[in-house]
């Protein structure tokens, strides 16, 4: 399937974050042009595949992650996410995991919170329901942009490694804010485009993987969003590394460049239950974690004093 047909794609595009400046071509990654906005620091893929193509890609993405990543390494990451969530809201609160995939985070959070989840992949939701049958009626397959008619107000909405995948990130974040109670929190994790690692590696950065990743955020771009586009207070922003299996590390290296890790070696690592499952913490500090608090009163309703 040819997903990178860019003969009719524009040479520049309006920045999806600030919508004031153009995202001009900056580099080529995996055959896709990536543009960067000088106004807000956001970078976006200019050669965006069709919605149908993207949907097809995500139907099978979770099976690749299961193949290369053990449950233990995923659990370690989700325990850290759970602690980050617990720093913002009390146990027992209502939490929505938007883009929940196969339910790894839900499995960690279900004992502490009243959890719900949805994902674009029906296959991933089916897998999540099979492993978490008590949550079946709280899990649905839908797009992030669609409004769930049965959703109630949540104390927190989590977007773990999600926002970099969407074509309309501001629309999605606003939709998530609509789900949240005043004073509640939007929690996001995403690759940090402003990190030293990203600047050093450029097109070889481990997260520069179009068409799976379509948008690249930095602290600057998030500050622009929650100052000028969506009412919200960034109360926490930190960067971290990641715990991965050796097989998953080889998988990411293969995505960066097939000559770094040939396919035959990648497959051997995936089949190895010992060497391939060795866990490593990569202190790259190129994954951003932020907590955004929803204002109690919309700024437009606050009376201005002379």
């Amino acid at each position: 399937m040819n997903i990178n047909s860019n003969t009719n794609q524009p040479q520049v595009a309006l920045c999806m974050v600030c919508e004031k400046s153009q995202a001009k071509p900056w580099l080529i990654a995996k055959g896709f042009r990536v543009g960067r906005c000088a106004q807000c620091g956001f970078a976006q893929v200019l050669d965006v595949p069709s919605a149908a193509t993207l949907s097809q890609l995500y139907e099978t993405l979770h099976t690749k992650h299961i193949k290369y990543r053990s449950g233990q390494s995923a659990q370690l990451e989700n325990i850290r996410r759970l602690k980050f969530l617990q720093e913002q809201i009390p146990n027992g609160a209502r939490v929505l995991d938007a883009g929940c995939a196969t339910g790894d985070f839900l499995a960690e959070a279900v004992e502490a919170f009243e959890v719900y989840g949805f994902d674009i992949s029906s296959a991933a939701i089916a897998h999540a329901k099979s492993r978490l049958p008590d949550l079946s009626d709280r899990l649905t397959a839908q797009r992030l942009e669609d409004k769930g008619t049965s959703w109630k107000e949540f104390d927190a909405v989590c977007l773990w490694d999600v926002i970099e995948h969407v074509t309309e990130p501001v629309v999605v974040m606003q939709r998530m804010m609509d789900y949240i109670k005043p004073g509640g929190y939007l929690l996001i994790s995403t690759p940090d485009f402003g990190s030293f690692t990203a600047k050093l590696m450029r097109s070889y950065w481990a997260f520069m993987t179009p068409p799976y990743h379509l948008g690249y955020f930095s602290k600057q771009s998030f500050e622009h969003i929650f100052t000028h586009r969506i009412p919200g207070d960034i109360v926490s922003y930190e960067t971290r590394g990641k715990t991965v299996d050796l097989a998953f590390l080889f998988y990411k290296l293969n995505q960066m460049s097939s000559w770094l890790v040939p396919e035959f070696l990648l497959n051997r690592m995936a089949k190895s239950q010992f060497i391939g499952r060795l866990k490593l913490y990569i202190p790259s500090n190129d994954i951003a974690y932020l907590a955004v608090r929803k204002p109690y009163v919309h700024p437009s309703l606050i009376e201005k004093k002379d």
Side-chain angles (χ1 to χ4, degrees), residues 60-77:
T60 58
L61 182 61
H62 78 282
T63 60
K64 292 183 178 180
H65 283 193
I66 291 173
K67 179 179 179 181
Y68 297 113
R69 192 178 188 191
S70 73
Q72 287 184 329
S73 60
Q75 184 180 36
L76 290 173
E77 287 296 303

Side-chain angles (χ1 to χ4, degrees), residues 208-221:
M208 188 62 71
T209 55
Y212 293 105
H213 290 179
L214 298 173
Y216 301 92
F217 299 82
S218 63
K219 187 176 183 180
Q220 177 189 358
S221 52

Side-chain angles (χ1 to χ4, degrees), residues 100-297:
C100 64
T102 55
D104 285 348
F105 178 71
L106 293 171
E108 293 301 321
V110 67
E111 296 298 326
F113 297 104
E114 180 185 342
V115 293
Y116 296 73
F118 68 83
D119 195 89
I120 190 175
S121 171
S122 57
I125 288 295
H127 185 91
K129 287 184 175 182
S130 68
R131 67 186 291 199
L132 300 166
D134 291 343
L135 298 181
S136 289
D137 61 343
R138 300 182 187 178
L139 305 176
T140 61
Q142 68 175 66
R143 298 190 320 145
L144 289 161
E145 296 86 347
D146 297 338
K147 186 173 179 62
T149 55
S150 63
W151 300 123
K152 299 177 182 178
E153 287 189 320
F154 291 92
D155 297 286
V157 172
C158 303
L159 285 171
W160 304 131
D161 298 348
V162 169
I163 200 64
E164 64 271 19
H165 296 277
V166 303
T167 56
E168 297 180 286
V170 175
V171 171
V172 168
M173 284 185 274
Q174 180 62 71
R175 176 69 73 203
M176 298 306 108
M177 279 294 202
D178 291 342
Y179 293 143
I180 300 170
K181 297 177 181 179
Y185 292 85
L186 175 62
L187 304 184
I188 300 172
S189 70
T190 190
D192 187 352
F193 183 61
S195 67
F196 174 78
T197 304
K199 293 175 180 177
L200 177 67
M201 300 301 292
R202 292 171 61 86
S203 63
Y204 290 99
W205 184 33
F207 297 108
M208 188 62 71
T209 55
Y212 293 105
H213 290 179
L214 298 173
Y216 301 92
F217 299 82
S218 63
K219 187 176 183 180
Q220 177 189 358
S221 52
F222 279 120
E223 287 176 343
H224 184 95
I225 290 169
F226 293 107
T227 299
H228 301 289
R229 302 297 310 280
I230 303 172
D233 301 314
I234 299 176
V235 297
S236 177
Y237 190 99
E238 58 185 69
T239 56
R240 304 177 178 179
K242 192 177 186 70
T243 300
V244 298
D245 301 329
L246 193 58
F248 193 79
L249 176 61
F250 274 46
Y251 166 60
K252 296 300 292 185
L253 290 172
N254 175 267
Q255 283 188 314
M256 291 165 61
S257 178
S258 59
W259 65 263
L260 287 174
V261 178
E263 199 70 27
F264 79 90
L265 183 56
L266 179 62
N267 289 332
R268 286 189 179 183
M269 276 291 176
K271 293 177 181 178
S272 170
Q273 295 301 309
F274 177 66
I275 297 177
R277 296 309 181 188
L278 289 175
K279 288 180 286 297
L280 304 169
Y281 178 74
I282 311 299
S284 53
N285 288 330
D286 59 352
I287 302 175
Y289 277 78
L290 65 153
V292 184
R293 184 170 52 218
K294 181 175 180 176
Y296 283 96
V297 180

Side-chain angles (χ1 to χ4, degrees), residues 4-26:
N4 186 19
S5 177
N6 59 15
T7 54
N8 296 318
Q9 295 282 355
Q11 292 301 307
V12 296
L14 189 65
C15 174
M16 293 187 295
V17 162
C18 69
E19 293 188 346
K20 291 183 178 180
S21 184
Q22 291 181 326
K24 298 181 179 179
W26 176 59

